[in-house]
Amino acid sequence: MSGFTRDTKRYGDKLVYEALGTKWRRYHDTHCGCGLNWVTEHAEPAGFTVVRAGSGWVALVGPGLTEGVDERALTANALWEAVTGKPGQGWVETLHVIDRSEAAEKTRKAENDAAYADRRERAAQSKKDPATPAQLKYLNTLVARTGRERFDAAYNKAVKGTGVAPRGAEEKTQAALGRLTKAAARKLITALVGP
């Protein structure tokens, strides 16, 4: 969603309007239809300044949008008129204040750590736990149905980044399967079952 923002880490003390590029491009295409870039051809000539752009967002400041406005009743009327060529709609938008102080960032990190601790622990454990007997039995069945080249490729892809070494040139299939973790075995099964 587009909206008015105060984010001291990104924009300093400035009140900015973060415009979602796809949304405003759609407004522009629907109402103006000139086929030009709405930022460079409409917003900037109207007096708006791009503070920051990237990842589909364009943060703008300027008269009637963030300067000389009542912060209790913010509207994007000025930008709407510049981009579409029509009078603003008068839609009042709220101001999002993002606290990125050191204390707030520590609190946010602690909350995230607490919220995701169980998931991280389970993921770490599954990378250490050896493959189950049921997984190994099923893998033996799958190995019998696939060729060595396909198995080797799938095996090496499944263990990539897990700490389990790829299959050696002379390594027996049973030895390679015995080194798998639960997570790697799950990936290998998925790869071998697929087309």
Side-chain angles (χ1 to χ4, degrees), residues 27-100:
Y27 290 157
H28 173 251
D29 291 346
T30 302
H31 297 283
C32 177
C34 69
L36 302 173
N37 183 299
W38 68 273
V39 176
T40 57
E41 300 300 323
H42 294 288
E44 289 176 340
F48 300 109
T49 304
V50 175
V51 177
R52 189 172 187 179
S55 301
W57 293 92
V58 181
L60 301 165
V61 295
L65 183 64
T66 59
E67 298 167 9
V69 293
D70 179 3
E71 288 194 20
R72 293 165 296 169
L74 294 168
T75 69
N77 286 350
L79 183 61
W80 179 268
E81 191 166 343
V83 172
T84 66
K86 298 183 178 186
Q89 302 295 312
W91 296 317
V92 176
E93 299 186 34
T94 57
L95 171 62
H96 304 284
V97 179
I98 301 170
D99 184 5
R100 294 187 193 260

Side-chain angles (χ1 to χ4, degrees), residues 94-168:
T94 57
L95 171 62
H96 304 284
V97 179
I98 301 170
D99 184 5
R100 294 187 193 260
S101 65
E102 211 171 293
E105 289 293 306
K106 282 182 183 176
T107 302
R108 184 192 56 75
K109 185 178 181 331
E111 287 171 355
N112 281 349
D113 288 347
Y116 294 105
D118 289 343
R119 186 180 296 177
R120 286 186 190 118
E121 188 176 322
R122 281 195 313 271
Q125 191 61 35
S126 72
K127 289 179 181 176
K128 294 177 191 171
D129 286 345
T132 65
Q135 284 177 317
L136 293 174
K137 183 178 178 182
Y138 189 47
L139 279 167
N140 279 319
T141 305
L142 292 173
V143 168
R145 286 193 255 162
T146 61
R148 175 159 177 132
E149 285 182 13
R150 181 172 178 215
F151 173 76
D152 286 349
Y155 184 91
N156 291 338
K157 190 173 183 180
V159 300
K160 187 175 184 178
T162 64
V164 177
R167 182 175 182 183

